[in-house]
């Protein structure tokens, strides 16, 4: 809270509210990540994303203007939240940003930590695939407090990481997906191995049975991250996009299924054309004319 006093005039209080601290008690639920348990729609950003908040210094100009506007009044300014135009009884949800990059899903398996570094280990999945895995800070805290999670397979919230060598998918564990109050555990099981990939198509050939999508971090505009240390993740996905022309440079919202160490396309929704489309290459004539 920032309190500014103007002697004999008025008092203005501005309160900056930050994000709620993460729930550190017990196992992690995907409710904090806005998960749709029916369709596996996740709204988790990639891990380790810095959070930028406005400082009191940045608000100095606005505060100065506010004080000048109220120097001749004896009442404090009032701030009101804008009221939605919808019916009061209807639920109001904020629209998801169109270019919100995402790569997150659910897997079932047993995490086997390494002896020296428990934050790194192997995830033995339900199809017997063994893939290198690491725990993010929130998951490491939960596992440290609830060691019984390591004694049997769990449903984990994971961020996938593409790799060149086999297995081609590594994971970073965000937390444990436990049933919410009144939620059927079977619904969660149906979402296991389901992933949401939102990104820009960086490779696509019409008629090909696979394409590639690039996922950037969200804390800065994606085009400002090129050439920095924050490299995007490129996922190769098996399947055909529902388009008759090249999808290069297009932003797509994809629902995929993990099959072994690959992603297989199940549903695709076009969002926007982000980069200029590539022009098709002109075919060279086999018979060159002699000069």
């Amino acid at each position: 809270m920032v309190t500014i006093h103007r002697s004999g005039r008025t008092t203005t209080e501005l309160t900056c509210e930050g994000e709620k601290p993460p729930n550190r008690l017990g196992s992690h639920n995907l409710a904090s990540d806005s998960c749709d348990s029916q369709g596996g729609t996740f709204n988790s950003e990639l891990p380790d994303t810095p959070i930028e908040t406005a400082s009191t210094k940045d608000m100095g100009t606005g505060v100065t203007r506010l004080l000048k506007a109220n120097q001749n009044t004896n009442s404090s300014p009032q701030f009101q939240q804008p009221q939605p135009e919808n019916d009061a009884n209807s639920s109001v949800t904020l629209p998801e940003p169109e270019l919100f990059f995402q790569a997150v899903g659910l897997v079932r398996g047993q995490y086997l930590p390494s002896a020296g570094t428990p934050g790194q280990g192997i995830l033995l999945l339900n199809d017997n695939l063994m893939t290198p895995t690491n725990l993010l800070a929130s998951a490491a805290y939960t596992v440290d407090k609830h060691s019984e999670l390591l004694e049997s397979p769990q449903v984990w919230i994971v961020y996938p990481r593409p790799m060149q060598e086999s297995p081609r998918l590594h994971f970073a564990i965000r937390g444990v997906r436990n049933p919410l109050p009144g939620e059927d555990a079977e619904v969660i099981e149906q979402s296991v191995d389901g992933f949401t990939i939102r990104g820009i198509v960086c490779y696509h050939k019409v008629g090909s049975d696979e394409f590639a999508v690039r996922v950037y971090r969200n804390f800065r505009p994606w085009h400002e991250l090129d050439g920095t240390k924050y490299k995007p993740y490129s996922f190769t996905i098996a399947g055909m996009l529902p388009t008759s022309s090249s999808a290069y440079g297009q932003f797509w919202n994809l629902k995929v299924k993990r099959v072994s160490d690959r992603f297989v396309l199940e549903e695709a929704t076009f969002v926007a054309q982000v980069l200029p489309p590539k022009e098709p290459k002109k075919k060279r004539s086999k018979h060159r004319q002699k000069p």
Side-chain angles (χ1 to χ4, degrees):
M1 176 177 292
V2 181
T3 305
I4 302 173
H5 300 278
R6 304 285 291 187
S7 57
R9 299 273 178 94
T10 183
T11 300
T12 303
E13 293 186 359
L14 299 179
T15 302
C16 298
E17 296 182 358
E19 291 188 348
K20 295 183 180 179
N23 182 10
R24 298 296 189 184
L25 300 178
S27 302
H28 180 79
N29 280 325
L30 231 158
S32 60
D33 292 332
S34 302
C35 169
D36 179 4
S37 59
Q38 296 291 341
T41 301
F42 306 90
N43 289 330
S44 298
E45 296 186 7
L46 292 177
D48 305 326
T49 301
I51 300 175
E52 298 179 357
T53 58
S55 63
T56 55
K57 181 179 179 181
D58 296 331
M59 295 191 299
T61 303
V63 172
T64 302
R65 293 177 180 175
L66 184 62
L67 291 174
K68 289 182 179 180
N70 291 275
Q71 284 180 354
N72 298 324
T73 61
N74 295 323
S75 60
S76 301
Q78 298 180 355
F79 298 92
Q80 296 182 353
Q81 294 291 340
Q83 298 297 326
E85 298 179 358
N86 302 50
D87 183 74
N89 297 325
S90 63
S91 60
V92 179
T93 57
L94 295 177
E96 183 182 14
E98 282 193 351
L99 299 186
F100 183 84
F101 292 90
Q102 198 171 51
V104 66
L106 296 178
V107 295
R108 169 174 280 281
Q110 185 172 1
Y111 178 69
L112 306 174
S114 60
T117 54
Q120 296 181 356
I122 291 176
L123 192 58
L124 177 59
L125 299 175
N126 55 354
D127 57 357
N128 295 325
L129 177 68
M130 300 181 67
T131 178
T133 303
N134 66 283
L135 299 178
L136 299 179
S138 57
Y141 185 91
T142 301
V143 169
D144 182 60
K145 295 297 182 181
H146 302 272
S147 58
E148 68 275 7
L149 295 173
L150 304 179
E151 299 175 0
S152 60
Q154 307 292 332
V155 177
W156 303 97
I157 310 163
V158 295
Y159 299 108
R161 298 287 184 264
M163 304 297 293
Q164 296 293 333
E165 68 278 4
S166 182
R168 287 172 288 186
L169 283 178
H170 294 192
F171 297 112
I173 294 180
R174 171 68 175 84
V176 180
R177 176 63 164 102
N178 285 330
L180 302 175
E183 184 180 15
D184 188 357
E186 184 62 27
V187 176
I188 300 177
E189 291 296 332
Q190 293 175 0
S191 299
V192 168
D193 291 328
F195 285 76
T196 294
I197 306 292
R198 291 174 58 92
I200 301 174
V201 175
C202 57
Y203 169 78
H204 177 242
K205 186 178 181 181
V206 178
S208 176
D209 58 355
E210 67 176 17
F211 59 97
V213 175
R214 188 168 294 167
V215 178
Y216 290 83
R217 301 190 183 217
N218 290 300
F219 69 96
R220 284 170 59 183
W222 66 270
H223 52 81
E224 295 182 4
L225 297 177
D226 288 336
T228 68
K229 65 178 181 179
Y230 302 105
K231 304 299 181 183
Y233 297 105
S234 295
F235 296 95
T236 300
I237 299 174
M240 299 180 64
L241 287 172
T243 177
S244 58
S245 58
S246 175
Y248 173 83
Q250 295 178 355
F251 194 100
W252 284 76
N253 180 13
L254 309 172
K255 308 300 180 185
V256 300
K257 197 77 173 179
R258 182 191 69 86
V259 178
S260 186
D261 62 346
R262 301 193 67 187
F263 283 146
V264 178
L265 180 65
E266 289 193 331
E267 182 181 340
T269 303
F270 171 79
V271 177
Q273 180 76 46
V274 179
L275 298 174
K278 282 187 175 180
E279 296 183 359
K281 295 182 179 180
K282 296 181 179 180
K283 295 182 179 181
R284 295 182 178 180
S285 177
K286 296 182 179 179
H287 302 285
R288 294 183 179 179
Q289 296 181 356
K290 294 183 179 180

